[in-house]
């Protein structure tokens, strides 16, 4: 057994191998605090024939036993991976995938199990670090060692691996992965953090990453296995030279066509026409030709940018494609927008609901409720394809989460806007950065629904073309599909005019430097401000009123000690109000009561009932009460539902009352005034304070018994 330890963020991060899961090709347990993740790496003993891609699978699972919990639901066991597990699997996959050498065609799987969770330290960055360590210890060849940390910002101070509570209170939640020399993946949510602060956070995270990498490399030197050699098959040089000489010109012309589908069709025809000249029986040459042609498409893109100084569609490096925005298209949706940028188009809707519509989420760190949701759909017709319509895959979940993180910081709190909000983005066309189109369309749809956003949010995707040999590079704004596919970076930045709200970066090269990152952030800000200007031209501010089809929620505040009066024994009272009025009622622990209804009259009726149930008698105010009980010293009068006060015999009349029953009867309505409420809540009432004093000052004048009519 071998163990390495390094101090990260004021705590010890340990990596242990040789104790658990020893039959895996690589296995480690990463521990930080009391959070522990078991990560394994395995590969197939034989290459997978007939494929030209890396067959890598990454699975991350959170076992509920890790935090001493039993799963909810009927089966009481873990089932379909929740969103957190899908997103973390993507976070692990994205930075390690580019590190495999060309030609690696063996089935490879990385599995991460959370086996202990301390409810303070998140396990996702530990799982990513563990994946790198497990691969480093195995026979699987990688081009670099990486590690990951989380960076937070609380009161202007940067924190490495902040706790859950610090993340909730802070203004930045950044996950950064990197090698010794460069960053390879960034994932962030922020509350309008400036570009300058983001650069500082990335630099702080990279410093911690280097320390972890030193420990992983030391562990691999002591306990690692001999790496396998990869012999990448190369096309015949003669074939490669011939294909390039004949096809580079027509291919470049085809790729410069601005219409996406027309360009793709022209590119396919270039290859088809050339293949038609080759003998059908020469399968090897035909395969080599297809392989060379694939590489030529990347060469054309890179030459266009680095050699000719322009993009395939003729745009400048920082130019944003044409943008059109439409709002209010769907008459029944609470809010709707269509955002079109170039050949990317998103139909985005927003729906307002009540607290009953919140999503309950079970995680190892406890249960939470989600009142803002953004769901992203990518139907096959958006790219002119024919496929089965299935449930959302990892890509759809990841894109939706990125757009949700982008908008969440500007969504009003429940105390000011007590609605559950769901945004749905359906991509109708796609040619680059549909997730950022979802952010822009989501902002417009929310504003169209009357959601009082703190500020509008826009997003833009940045790309990079980098010559690693010479260091020459170009940062591209608003990348199209080919620039994303054949470029070296996909860097998405979303935010308001004042700062960044979300960030995501994936790269395909060994890493990028801080200078390139800074240039990309500055260029992204300029693009973001341009897009915001176009959005404001369509809808300047949120609608002043919500849709007539949305539920109206009226919020009132009641004393906390009156909550039980509204709910009643076993919920009997609140159910009765709902049945009588047809509204929805949500009672919060702090005394906030939300009454939701599409009918204002029903809502006001429910509010009146609740106010009666929770009203407190006010000093010097008069009430028409009901006599509940009579005693020798007075009567108890109910002035509000369930609230009695004492009407003392001396306060019944201006004259001396000898017998209370001569003046009052149980069940009788009587007008009384509150003359005292003591600290314990006892109420004293007066009837005589509301009666005229008899003339002459005779205290016995007008005695009820004396005023009995004389029988003739």
């Amino acid at each position: 057994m071998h163990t390495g330890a390094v101090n990260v963020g004021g705590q010890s991060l340990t990596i242990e191998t040789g104790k658990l899961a020893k039959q895996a090709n690589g296995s480690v347990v990463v521990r930080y605090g009391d959070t522990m993740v078991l990560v394994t790496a395995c590969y197939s003993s034989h290459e997978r024939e007939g494929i030209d891609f890396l067959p890598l699978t990454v699975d991350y699972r959170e076992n509920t036993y890790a935090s001493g919990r039993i799963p909810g639901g009927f089966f009481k066991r873990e089932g379909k991976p929740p969103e957190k597990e899908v997103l973390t699997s993507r976070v692990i996959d994205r930075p390690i995938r580019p590190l495999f050498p060309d030609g690696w065609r063996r089935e490879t799987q990385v599995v991460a199990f959370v086996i202990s969770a301390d409810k303070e330290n998140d396990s996702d960055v530990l799982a990513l670090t563990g994946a790198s360590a497990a691969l480093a210890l195995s026979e699987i060849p990688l081009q670099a060692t990486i590690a990951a940390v989380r960076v937070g910002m609380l009161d202007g101070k940067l924190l490495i691996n902040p706790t859950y509570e610090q993340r909730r209170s802070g203004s930045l939640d950044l996950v950064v992965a990197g090698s010794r020399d460069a960053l390879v993946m960034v994932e962030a949510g922020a509350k309008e953090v400036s570009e300058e602060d983001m650069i500082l956070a990335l630099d702080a995270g990279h410093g911690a990453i280097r320390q972890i990498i030193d420990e992983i490399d030391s562990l691999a030197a002591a306990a690692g296995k001999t790496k396998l050699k990869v012999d990448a098959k190369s096309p015949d040089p003669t074939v490669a030279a011939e294909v390039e000489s004949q096809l580079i010109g027509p291919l470049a012309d085809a790729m410069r066509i601005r219409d996406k589908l027309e360009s793709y069709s022209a590119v396919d025809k270039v290859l088809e026409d050339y293949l038609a000249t080759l003998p059908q029986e020469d399968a090897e040459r035909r395969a080599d030709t297809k392989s060379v042609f694939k590489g030529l498409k990347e060469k054309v893109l890179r030459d266009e940018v680095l050699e000719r100084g322009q993009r395939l569609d003729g745009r400048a490096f920082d130019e944003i494609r044409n943008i059109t925005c439409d709002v209010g298209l769907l008459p029944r949706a609470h809010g709707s927008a269509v955002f079109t940028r170039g050949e990317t188009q998103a139909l985005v809707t927003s729906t307002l609901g009540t607290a009953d519509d919140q999503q309950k989420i079970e995680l190892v760190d406890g249960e939470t409720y989600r009142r803002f949701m953004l769901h992203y759909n990518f139907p096959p017709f958006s790219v002119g394809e024919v496929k089965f319509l299935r449930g959302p895959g990892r890509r759809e979940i990841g894109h939706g989460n990125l757009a949700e993180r982008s908008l969440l910081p500007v969504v009003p709190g429940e105390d000011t806007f007590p609605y559950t909000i769901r945004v749905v983005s359906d991509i109708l066309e796609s040619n680059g950065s549909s997730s950022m189109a979802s952010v822009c369309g989501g902002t417009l749809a929310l504003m169209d629904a009357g959601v009082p956003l703190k500020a509008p949010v826009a997003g833009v995707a940045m790309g990079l073309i980098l010559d690693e040999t010479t260091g020459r590079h170009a940062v591209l704004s608003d990348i199209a599909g080919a620039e994303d596919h054949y470029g070296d970076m996909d860097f998405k930045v979303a935010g308001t005019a004042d700062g960044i709200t979300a960030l995501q970066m994936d790269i395909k090269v060994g890493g990028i430097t801080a200078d390139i990152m800074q240039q990309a952030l500055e260029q992204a800000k300029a693009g973001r401000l341009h897009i915001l200007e176009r959005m404001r031209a369509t809808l300047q501010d949120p609608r002043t009123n919500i849709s007539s089809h949305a539920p109206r929620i009226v919020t009132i505040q009641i004393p906390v000690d009156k909550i039980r009066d509204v709910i009643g024994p076993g919920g009997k009272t609140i159910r009765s109000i709902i049945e009588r009025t047809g509204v929805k009622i949500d009672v919060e622990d702090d005394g906030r009561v939300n009454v939701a209804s599409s009918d204002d009259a029903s809502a006001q009726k429910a509010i009146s009932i609740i106010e009666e149930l929770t009203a407190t008698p006010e000093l010097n105010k008069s009430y028409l009460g009901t006599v509940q009980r009579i005693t020798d010293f007075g009567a108890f009068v109910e002035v509000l539902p369930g609230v009695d006060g004492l009407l003392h015999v001396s306060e019944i009349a201006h004259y001396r009352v000898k017998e209370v029953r001569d003046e009052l009867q149980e069940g009788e309505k009587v007008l009384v005034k509150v003359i005292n409420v003591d600290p314990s809540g006892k109420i004293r009432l007066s009837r005589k304070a509301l009666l005229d004093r008899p003339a002459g000052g005779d205290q016995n004048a007008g005695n009820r018994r004396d005023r009995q009519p004389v029988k003739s």
Side-chain angles (χ1 to χ4, degrees):
M1 189 175 75
H2 297 265
T3 302
V6 60
N7 187 286
V8 178
Q11 285 198 75
S12 177
L13 184 146
T14 63
I15 304 174
E16 176 186 274
T17 186
K19 184 175 183 179
L20 302 181
K22 295 188 290 294
Q23 292 189 39
N25 298 112
S27 170
V28 297
V29 173
V30 183
R31 177 170 181 166
Y32 192 75
D34 281 344
T35 295
M36 300 170 64
V37 186
L38 169 66
V39 190
T40 61
C42 293
Y43 68 95
S44 174
S45 57
H46 301 286
E47 285 195 2
R48 186 170 162 185
E49 298 294 336
I51 63 171
D52 60 352
F53 59 89
L54 171 67
L56 172 66
T57 304
V58 177
D59 291 296
Y60 166 91
R61 295 289 183 270
E62 292 183 346
N63 297 298
T64 54
Y65 64 71
S67 59
R69 297 167 59 85
I70 296 175
F74 179 78
F75 294 103
K76 296 298 177 185
R77 69 174 298 164
E78 290 80 5
K80 178 183 176 182
E83 193 169 288
K84 165 72 183 299
E85 295 181 2
V86 173
L87 294 172
T88 305
S89 297
R90 279 173 51 85
V91 164
I92 299 170
D93 185 300
R94 284 160 34 208
I96 66 173
R97 185 173 289 271
L99 302 179
F100 287 81
D102 292 337
W104 179 260
R105 295 293 179 263
R106 302 197 188 196
E107 291 277 2
T108 306
Q109 184 178 32
V110 174
V111 177
F113 282 169
V114 178
I115 55 177
S116 178
D118 62 10
K119 300 185 181 181
E120 287 189 1
N121 301 293
D122 205 332
S123 51
D124 51 3
V125 291
L126 306 183
L128 176 48
T129 298
S132 175
L135 289 166
L137 288 163
S138 73
E139 301 94 334
I140 301 170
L142 281 191
Q143 297 171 334
T145 304
I146 65 170
V149 295
R150 173 174 267 104
V151 184
M153 181 180 289
L154 184 62
D155 299 327
K157 182 181 179 182
L158 294 174
L159 303 173
I160 301 297
N161 286 351
T163 64
Y164 286 117
E165 181 57 37
Q166 289 171 330
R167 289 165 58 188
R168 283 189 288 266
S169 305
S171 58
L172 175 65
D173 187 10
L174 167 70
V175 173
V176 55
S179 63
R180 191 182 307 280
D181 301 320
L183 302 177
V184 297
M185 191 275 296
V186 174
E187 187 95 21
K191 298 176 182 177
E192 297 182 278
V193 169
S194 69
E195 281 73 11
E196 294 76 15
D197 285 341
M198 189 66 74
I199 290 292
L200 292 174
L202 291 169
D203 187 58
H206 200 188
I209 284 170
R210 291 189 183 100
Q211 294 178 284
I212 301 173
I213 289 174
D214 288 340
E215 204 58 45
I216 294 175
D217 287 343
S218 297
L219 200 63
K225 301 172 183 176
T226 303
K227 296 296 184 182
L228 294 172
K229 291 183 179 180
V230 179
D231 296 323
K233 183 182 177 182
S234 299
D236 186 309
T238 304
V239 173
E242 182 181 341
V243 171
E244 181 172 350
S245 65
Q246 295 195 33
L247 299 188
I248 191 73
L251 176 61
D253 291 338
M255 293 181 68
R256 291 187 188 116
I257 298 174
R258 294 203 173 194
D259 183 84
K260 173 188 168 182
L261 295 182
E262 185 181 346
S263 174
Y264 283 12
S265 177
V267 168
D268 290 342
K269 191 173 188 311
V270 170
L271 177 61
E272 289 170 6
D273 288 349
Y274 185 77
L275 289 175
T277 65
L278 302 180
Q280 288 288 341
E281 60 274 11
D282 195 347
E284 184 174 354
R285 183 172 180 181
R286 295 175 70 88
D288 284 350
T289 298
K290 292 178 182 178
S291 177
V292 172
F293 187 78
K294 182 178 179 181
L296 277 183
K297 289 192 282 186
E298 182 174 345
K299 176 178 172 56
V300 168
L301 173 70
R302 305 178 79 82
D303 287 349
E304 197 80 0
V305 172
L306 295 180
E307 302 300 333
R308 301 185 61 185
Q310 66 180 35
R311 300 163 76 167
L312 288 171
D313 57 9
R315 282 186 291 153
F317 291 165
D318 60 351
E319 184 178 347
I320 307 296
R321 286 171 290 179
N322 183 54
I323 293 172
T324 59
C325 307
D326 297 286
V327 294
L329 276 78
L330 309 181
R332 281 285 176 169
H334 299 165
S336 61
V338 172
F339 179 85
T340 307
R341 185 195 59 243
E343 293 178 299
T344 295
Q345 185 178 74
L347 170 64
V348 191
T349 59
S350 59
T351 307
L352 306 180
T354 66
D356 290 344
D357 298 311
Q358 292 185 12
Q359 182 184 13
K360 180 182 177 182
I361 299 175
E362 279 191 297
L363 299 172
V364 291
D365 58 309
E367 292 180 356
T368 59
Y369 285 87
R370 188 175 166 202
R371 63 175 286 267
F372 176 69
M373 297 160 278
L374 193 150
H375 298 143
Y376 168 100
N377 299 312
F378 194 85
F381 63 75
S382 64
V383 287
E385 294 181 352
V386 178
K387 289 183 179 179
F388 285 112
L389 278 174
R390 307 276 189 202
R394 288 188 174 185
R395 178 182 177 275
E396 284 79 8
I397 291 173
H399 280 31
N401 179 262
L402 173 60
E404 181 179 304
R405 280 189 284 118
S406 302
L407 293 170
L408 185 59
V410 301
V411 173
E414 193 171 6
D415 55 339
T416 59
F417 193 74
Y419 288 88
T420 296
I421 306 168
R422 181 182 184 234
V423 176
V424 177
S425 176
D426 290 307
I427 304 304
L428 306 184
E429 294 182 56
S430 180
N431 186 17
S433 192
S434 55
S435 63
M436 294 296 96
S438 300
V439 172
C440 302
T443 294
L444 292 170
L446 289 168
M447 293 170 66
D448 186 52
V451 179
L453 298 181
K454 298 174 185 176
V457 177
V460 63
M462 311 298 296
L464 174 70
I465 305 297
L466 173 67
D467 186 335
E468 292 188 271
T469 304
T470 64
R472 285 193 307 162
H473 69 275
V475 175
L476 310 178
S477 297
D478 181 26
I479 55 175
E483 294 168 336
D484 183 7
H485 186 74
Y486 297 114
D488 298 316
M489 177 180 75
D490 182 11
F491 187 23
K492 300 182 177 76
V493 186
T496 67
D498 295 327
I500 296 170
T501 58
L503 187 150
Q504 185 182 88
M505 182 192 77
D506 295 303
I507 67 166
K508 302 168 190 174
V509 291
I512 64 171
T513 63
D515 290 340
I516 295 178
M517 177 71 76
Q518 185 169 358
Q519 180 185 348
L521 284 172
E522 291 173 354
Q523 199 165 310
K525 182 177 181 180
R528 186 170 81 240
L529 295 176
H530 169 78
I531 297 170
L532 283 170
E533 184 179 342
R534 298 305 304 271
M535 292 165 59
R536 286 195 185 97
T538 301
L539 189 59
Q540 180 72 28
D541 298 301
R543 308 283 190 199
T544 54
N545 296 310
I546 64 173
S547 167
S548 60
H549 303 296
R552 291 316 197 258
I553 298 181
V554 181
T555 302
I556 60 173
Q557 189 74 36
I558 64 173
V560 174
D561 59 355
K562 294 289 184 179
I563 292 176
R564 62 179 181 273
D565 297 327
V566 176
I567 296 176
K572 181 179 178 181
T573 304
I574 196 170
R575 284 198 303 271
S576 172
I577 300 171
I578 292 171
E579 290 170 1
R580 289 159 59 189
T581 62
V583 302
K584 284 185 177 182
I585 302 174
D586 297 306
V587 183
E588 305 294 339
D589 293 338
D590 61 359
R592 278 185 299 120
V593 180
N594 295 323
V595 179
S597 174
S598 56
D599 180 11
D600 288 339
S602 298
Q604 291 303 320
K605 181 179 179 181
I607 290 171
S608 298
I609 297 172
I610 294 171
E611 288 177 339
E612 288 179 8
L613 289 171
T614 60
T616 302
E618 300 177 27
L619 190 64
N620 296 323
K621 187 173 181 180
S622 300
Y623 296 89
L624 182 62
T626 304
V627 179
Q628 297 292 322
R629 183 163 59 93
I630 295 177
T631 67
D632 293 338
F633 52 85
F636 287 92
V637 180
E638 184 183 54
V639 292
L640 290 170
V643 180
D644 293 346
L646 173 62
L647 176 60
H648 193 266
V649 65
S650 64
E651 294 292 338
I652 294 177
H654 288 291
Y655 48 81
R656 182 173 179 273
V657 176
K658 296 179 181 179
E659 183 65 43
V660 177
R661 291 187 181 275
D662 290 342
E663 302 290 330
L664 302 171
Q665 299 296 322
E666 291 178 353
E668 180 182 353
K669 298 289 186 180
V670 58
L671 189 64
V672 292
K673 181 179 180 180
V674 178
I675 58 174
N676 186 53
V677 179
D678 68 16
S680 67
K682 293 181 179 179
I683 303 166
R684 289 182 62 83
L685 306 172
S686 174
R687 175 173 172 261
K688 74 178 183 180
L690 302 175
L691 299 175
D692 293 333
R693 185 178 293 277
D698 183 356
Q699 297 300 312
N700 291 320
N703 181 288
R704 176 176 286 191
R705 221 168 5 201
D706 295 339
R707 289 186 282 107
Q708 294 296 321
V710 178
K711 295 181 181 180
S712 58

